[in-house]
Amino acid sequence: IHLRSSHLVILPKKTFTMSTQELLALVQGVEGKDWASRRRGWSSQAEEPVCMWDGIICDPSDNSITSIRIQSADLYATIPTEWGQLKSLRTLVLRENLLYGTIPPEVAALPNLQTFDVAENDLSGPLPPFASMSLGVMDSSRNKLSGSLPSTIGENHALTLTLFDVMDNDLTGTIPSSFSKMRNLGTLSLGSNNLWGLIPPSLGSLPMLQYLYLDNNNLVGPIPPSLARFRSGGIDGSLLSEVWFQENMLSGTIPTALADLKKLVNFYVDGNKLTGKVPKDLCSETLNSDFFSNIPADAQRDLCDSVACPVNEVAFEGVYPCSPCDSLHYNPYLGRTGECIALNQRLIMEKFYQATSKLGPWDGGSNWNHDETFLCDFDGVTCDGNNNVIEIKLDGRGLSGTIPEELGFLEYLEILDLSDNDLTGFLPSDLRWAPLRHLDVSGTKLKGIVPPMLCLGMKQCKRVGIRDQSSESHGGLGVSGLAGTIVAISGVMIAAVLFVVLRAHRRKYASRRALPQGEGDDEIVFDKSVYNQTGVSSLPYADGPRRPSGGSSRKGTWKDLATRVPSSSYRDEPPNQKSAEPFSIGHVGDSDDENDDDDDERYEDEESISSALDKEVRRQQSHGASKKTPVWEYPDPLEEEDARSVSSSAWDVEKDSKKEVWLDVPKI
C-alpha cells in the first residue's frame, strides 16, 4: 500500500513486461488456455522469466525476444497483431499447428525478420509484403492463402531470400517478374495454386536456383529455354536439379536447350498441352529414374517415356508405362494423363453440355440432352451438307461452368459464340485445333490470358471477339486490354512499316542491291512484335534470324523488316488493376464496323506498298536478276547492327517456339 496525494494505490504483486503481454496474446479462448497449461511459462502466473518459456529465445545482452518456435503443438489460435511490437524478432516458426485467420501486416512489417515459417496451418487472406531486408526463408505453404503475390516480392529481398514456398494455397494472378532479382534464391515453390499467365523467362537468370516447382496451376505459353542458361561468370552451368511443370496448360514444344541442365534429376511436364517430341538429348537413365525403379535393367524401354508419353499415347500419370489410343480417339499432346480424346461429334457435344450446365438447364430450355434429337438439330447448331458441325451460337443462353477441351476437336467448327454467359475458368488452348474464323467469349467470367497457341498471328487474335466489360460486373478475359492491343497494333504497324520500307529503299540505292524475293508464301518468315501502353502484348517466339536450310540468306518480303519493339509479356499489377478504356472490337464479317474499316485501310496501305515492291523486283529481274538467286543478301551490316541493339532485350526468345504469339490480357 502506498499513499500518494491522499489517494490509496494498491500495487499488483507482480508487474509484467511489455513482451510478456504481447506473447500472452497467443493464448486465446478455452483451447488456448488448455494448450498453455501443458507448456512451461505461457501464463500470467508463471514464475519463470519470459526467456525461459517454451519456444522462446532471447538475446542475452538485453533479454529481447529474438526467436519464437512453436511447431507441431496443436495450437489453435490466430497470429497476434501484438507481435508486431517485437522489433527484435528474427525467427518466427509456427508450422504444423491449427492457426487460422490472416497473416497480420504488423508481423510482416517486422524489420529484422529472417525466418517466417507458418506452413501447414489454416491461414487465409492475402500474403502481405514483408518489410525485412534480411528475410531469408518465407514458408507459408499448405494454407488457404488467396489473392495475388506481391509484385515487389523480389525487390526487398534481392540478396537474402533463399527459400520462397507458397505451395498448396489458393493464390491467383501471375508470377511476378521481380523473382528474377533474388540472386540467392535456391527454392521457388509455387505449385498447387491457381496462378495463370506465362512462366517468366527471367527465372533463368537466377544463378543459385536449384528447385523450381510450378506444378498444378493454370500456366500457359512455352517452357522458357532460358532456364538452361549458364550461371553468370560460372563454368558449372545451371544448378537446377528439380523442375516441376506438370498439370498446367503449357504449349509449344520442350526446348532442346534443357538438355544442358547437367544437374537435372527430376523434370515433370506431364498433363500439359505440349506437342512435338521429347528431345532425345534430354532423355537419360538418370532423369526421372524413379519411374523405372521396378523395371529390369535389361528391359527394352524408351528413356523419353520417363519424361512424357508420346503423341497419341496416354498413361495414368502421363509417363511410363504408356498405352496407345484406339482408332476412335486421339491425343495430340505429350504426357497426356487420364484418357485419350473422343473424336465423335455427338460425344463431344454431350461433354460440352454437361460442362456448361453446372447450375442447371440453359435458359429457354434445350434439346441437347435429348437422345432422340439429331445432332444438327441441336439449338444453336449449324451443320454443313455432310452433317459436320460448323457453327455453335449460344450467346445469352445461361451457360454455366467451363469450356471443355474436347470442343476444340470439332474438326469443322468455324464459328463459336458463347458470349454473355456465366462461364468461368480459362479459355482452353485446345480450340486451336478447330478451324475457327469467329470466336466470341465476351460477357463471360473467363479469366487469365488468351492462350498463345490460340493466336498464331494478329489477324487470328482479332477474331477473338471481346465486348465491353467492367471490373464491377465481370471477371472475364481482359476486354479493354485486348481492345487496346488492336488499336495500338493498327497505329504502330502502319508507322513501323512505312518507316522501315523507306529505310530499306535508302539502303537499296546506297548499296545498289535489290529487294528480297521469296519463291512462295510458305517461305516467308514473319518476325513482328508490337507495343501498346495497356500492357497487352504480342510476340513471336522467333529463334533469332532464322535461315532456310541450304542457303545463307534469309528469304522474306518487306513484312520481315517490321521493327522489333519491346513489350510486356505479363503484368505485375494486381487483378483489380484498372485497365484501358473500354473499346468495342468488331467481329469478323461485320463489314459495317468502323474498326474493320480501319483495318481494311491498313491492309490496303500494306498491299499498295507490297505491290510497289513487287514491281521493283520484276523490274530488276528484267535486267537479269534471277528468281532463284536472292539479289539482296539479308541481313546486311546495318541490319546486323540493329539486331545487336535488341539482342539484350528481355524478349530474346530461344528455340523450339517458332510460331507462337502470345497475347497478354489483364484480368479485370
Side-chain angles (χ1 to χ4, degrees):
I1 301 175
H2 177 67
L3 294 175
R4 185 181 63 188
S5 303
S6 303
H7 292 282
L8 181 66
V9 179
I10 301 177
L11 297 177
K13 293 181 179 180
K14 183 177 181 179
T15 58
F16 301 102
T17 64
M18 181 65 69
S19 58
T20 302
Q21 298 177 24
E22 292 160 351
L23 285 177
L24 288 178
L26 183 66
V27 180
Q28 304 164 12
V30 176
E31 296 88 351
K33 292 179 179 179
D34 179 64
W35 172 84
S37 66
R38 293 179 274 113
R39 300 290 184 274
R40 183 174 60 180
W42 293 100
S43 169
S44 59
Q45 307 300 321
E47 295 296 330
E48 302 90 349
V50 168
C51 296
M52 295 184 64
W53 289 10
D54 282 349
I56 304 300
I57 298 177
C58 297
D59 186 335
S61 64
D62 58 4
N63 288 330
S64 61
I65 298 174
T66 60
S67 175
I68 301 176
R69 288 182 176 270
I70 304 172
Q71 58 190 74
S72 304
D74 294 326
L75 174 61
Y76 183 78
T78 61
I79 301 176
T81 58
E82 291 87 344
W83 284 11
Q85 300 299 317
L86 303 174
K87 303 300 183 182
S88 299
L89 191 65
R90 295 196 294 268
T91 300
L92 179 57
V93 178
L94 301 172
R95 65 180 299 124
E96 298 179 33
N97 281 291
L98 304 172
L99 299 180
Y100 62 96
T102 62
I103 299 175
E106 294 85 352
V107 173
L110 288 170
N112 298 299
L113 201 60
Q114 297 176 5
T115 298
F116 181 80
D117 187 349
V118 294
E120 299 186 54
N121 281 285
D122 201 29
L123 296 171
S124 57
L127 181 70
F130 285 78
S132 173
M133 303 293 286
S134 304
L135 189 65
V137 173
M138 210 299 299
D139 190 348
S140 56
S141 60
R142 297 183 175 89
N143 279 281
K144 296 179 180 178
L145 300 179
S146 58
S148 59
L149 294 170
S151 61
T152 59
I153 187 69
E155 296 177 1
N156 293 336
H157 324 293
L159 300 178
T160 59
L161 200 66
T162 60
L163 181 146
F164 185 87
D165 190 351
V166 292
M167 176 189 69
D168 198 8
N169 279 283
D170 295 318
L171 297 171
T172 57
T174 59
I175 300 175
S177 61
S178 61
F179 276 120
S180 63
K181 299 181 180 181
M182 298 180 178
R183 310 312 297 172
N184 289 301
L185 188 64
T187 300
L188 178 59
S189 179
L190 309 178
S192 298
N193 280 284
N194 292 305
L195 300 174
W196 61 71
L198 306 168
I199 299 176
S202 57
L203 294 181
S205 66
L206 295 174
M208 305 304 295
L209 190 62
Q210 299 181 58
Y211 307 101
L212 179 59
Y213 306 123
L214 306 180
D215 56 289
N216 291 277
N217 280 290
N218 299 294
L219 302 175
V220 299
I223 297 175
S226 58
L227 293 177
R229 67 177 295 176
F230 280 74
R231 293 168 58 193
S232 177
I235 59 175
D236 295 330
S238 173
L239 297 179
L240 272 175
S241 62
E242 292 193 14
V243 177
W244 293 15
F245 290 161
Q246 73 269 23
E247 300 301 330
N248 278 286
M249 297 184 290
L250 299 175
S251 57
T253 58
I254 299 176
T256 305
L258 297 184
D260 293 333
L261 296 173
K262 302 303 181 184
K263 300 181 183 296
L264 192 61
V265 176
N266 290 324
F267 179 62
Y268 302 144
V269 293
D270 48 278
N272 281 285
K273 306 293 184 181
L274 298 169
T275 53
K277 296 181 179 180
V278 178
K280 288 291 184 182
D281 293 341
L282 185 61
C283 309
S284 68
E285 293 183 354
T286 58
L287 185 64
N288 300 346
S289 59
D290 48 326
F291 290 115
F292 295 112
S293 58
N294 298 322
I295 304 301
D298 57 349
Q300 291 186 351
R301 56 187 174 90
D302 188 339
L303 295 176
C304 292
D305 287 353
S306 66
V307 178
C309 290
V311 169
N312 213 29
E313 294 191 17
V314 70
F316 177 72
E317 291 186 327
V319 294
Y320 182 89
C322 310
S323 302
C325 301
D326 60 42
S327 59
L328 299 178
H329 295 74
Y330 182 65
N331 166 40
Y333 305 122
L334 295 173
R336 174 78 177 181
T337 58
E339 59 185 12
C340 297
I341 300 170
L343 299 179
N344 181 274
Q345 290 189 115
R346 181 103 192 185
L347 292 178
I348 293 175
M349 303 291 268
E350 288 178 357
K351 287 194 173 184
F352 174 76
Y353 179 78
Q354 294 170 3
T356 57
S357 55
K358 296 299 183 181
L359 299 180
W362 299 345
D363 292 348
S366 173
N367 58 359
W368 280 55
N369 58 342
H370 299 165
D371 293 338
E372 65 278 6
T373 303
F374 179 52
L375 175 71
C376 296
D377 292 333
F378 282 176
D379 297 336
V381 172
T382 301
C383 295
D384 62 13
N386 296 318
N387 295 327
N388 298 310
V389 176
I390 61 174
E391 240 181 67
I392 298 178
K393 291 185 176 182
L394 296 170
D395 52 305
R397 292 294 305 274
L399 278 63
S400 58
T402 59
I403 302 175
E405 61 175 355
E406 288 84 0
L407 196 62
F409 293 89
L410 291 174
E411 58 181 323
Y412 298 96
L413 184 63
E414 298 180 0
I415 296 176
L416 179 61
D417 187 349
L418 304 177
S419 59
D420 301 320
N421 284 290
D422 198 26
L423 296 173
T424 57
F426 300 85
L427 190 64
S429 66
D430 310 82
L431 293 175
R432 64 178 129 154
W433 303 115
L436 288 173
R437 295 186 295 104
H438 178 101
L439 171 61
D440 191 349
V441 291
S442 60
T444 65
K445 296 180 180 179
L446 296 177
K447 58 185 178 181
I449 68 172
V450 177
M453 291 302 291
L454 193 54
C455 291
L456 299 177
M458 291 313 302
K459 291 179 68 176
Q460 286 129 312
C461 283
K462 186 182 184 303
R463 295 171 189 173
V464 183
I466 307 290
R467 297 176 186 165
D468 178 24
Q469 296 175 343
S470 64
S471 57
E472 291 79 9
S473 59
H474 296 287
L477 288 170
V479 171
S480 42
L482 183 57
T485 301
I486 306 302
V487 175
I489 289 167
S490 300
V492 172
M493 285 302 297
I494 292 174
V497 168
L498 291 176
F499 169 77
V500 175
V501 169
L502 291 175
R503 184 178 175 187
H505 273 289
R506 288 197 297 269
R507 288 179 181 163
K508 172 175 70 71
Y509 291 120
S511 60
R512 297 190 180 278
R513 284 182 263 176
L515 293 168
Q517 178 180 340
E519 296 180 4
D521 292 338
D522 294 339
E523 297 178 283
I524 295 175
V525 180
F526 295 102
D527 190 12
K528 311 177 193 175
S529 56
V530 292
Y531 169 80
N532 73 86
Q533 297 181 0
T534 64
V536 183
S537 67
S538 168
L539 178 69
Y541 309 151
D543 294 336
R546 295 193 296 275
R547 301 181 184 275
S549 58
S552 61
S553 62
R554 190 174 96 166
K555 300 178 181 179
T557 70
W558 60 274
K559 295 180 181 179
D560 298 325
L561 304 177
T563 303
R564 183 189 298 263
V565 183
S567 55
S568 173
S569 63
Y570 46 81
R571 296 177 62 90
D572 292 337
E573 290 83 4
N576 61 354
Q577 183 71 27
K578 184 178 179 180
S579 63
E581 291 298 320
F583 185 86
S584 178
I585 298 181
H587 303 266
V588 173
D590 298 340
S591 59
D592 57 340
D593 187 88
E594 62 179 7
N595 299 299
D596 286 341
D597 293 340
D598 293 340
D599 286 341
D600 292 340
E601 292 176 4
R602 175 163 61 91
Y603 292 128
E604 288 174 4
D605 291 340
E606 294 175 355
E607 291 171 0
S608 62
I609 295 172
S610 178
S611 177
L613 298 183
D614 289 340
K615 290 179 181 178
E616 173 63 18
V617 171
R618 287 195 297 271
R619 184 187 68 79
Q620 296 204 28
Q621 289 173 359
S622 67
H623 287 78
S626 170
K627 288 185 177 181
K628 296 182 179 180
T629 303
V631 288
W632 182 18
E633 296 295 323
Y634 182 86
D636 64 13
L638 290 177
E639 289 291 342
E640 291 178 341
E641 181 179 352
D642 291 342
R644 285 194 297 272
S645 68
V646 297
S647 62
S648 61
S649 168
W651 298 117
D652 287 350
V653 186
E654 303 286 341
K655 296 182 179 180
D656 298 306
S657 302
K658 295 182 179 178
K659 295 184 178 179
E660 293 191 41
V661 175
W662 69 65
L663 182 64
D664 186 3
V665 181
K667 178 178 180 290
I668 306 179

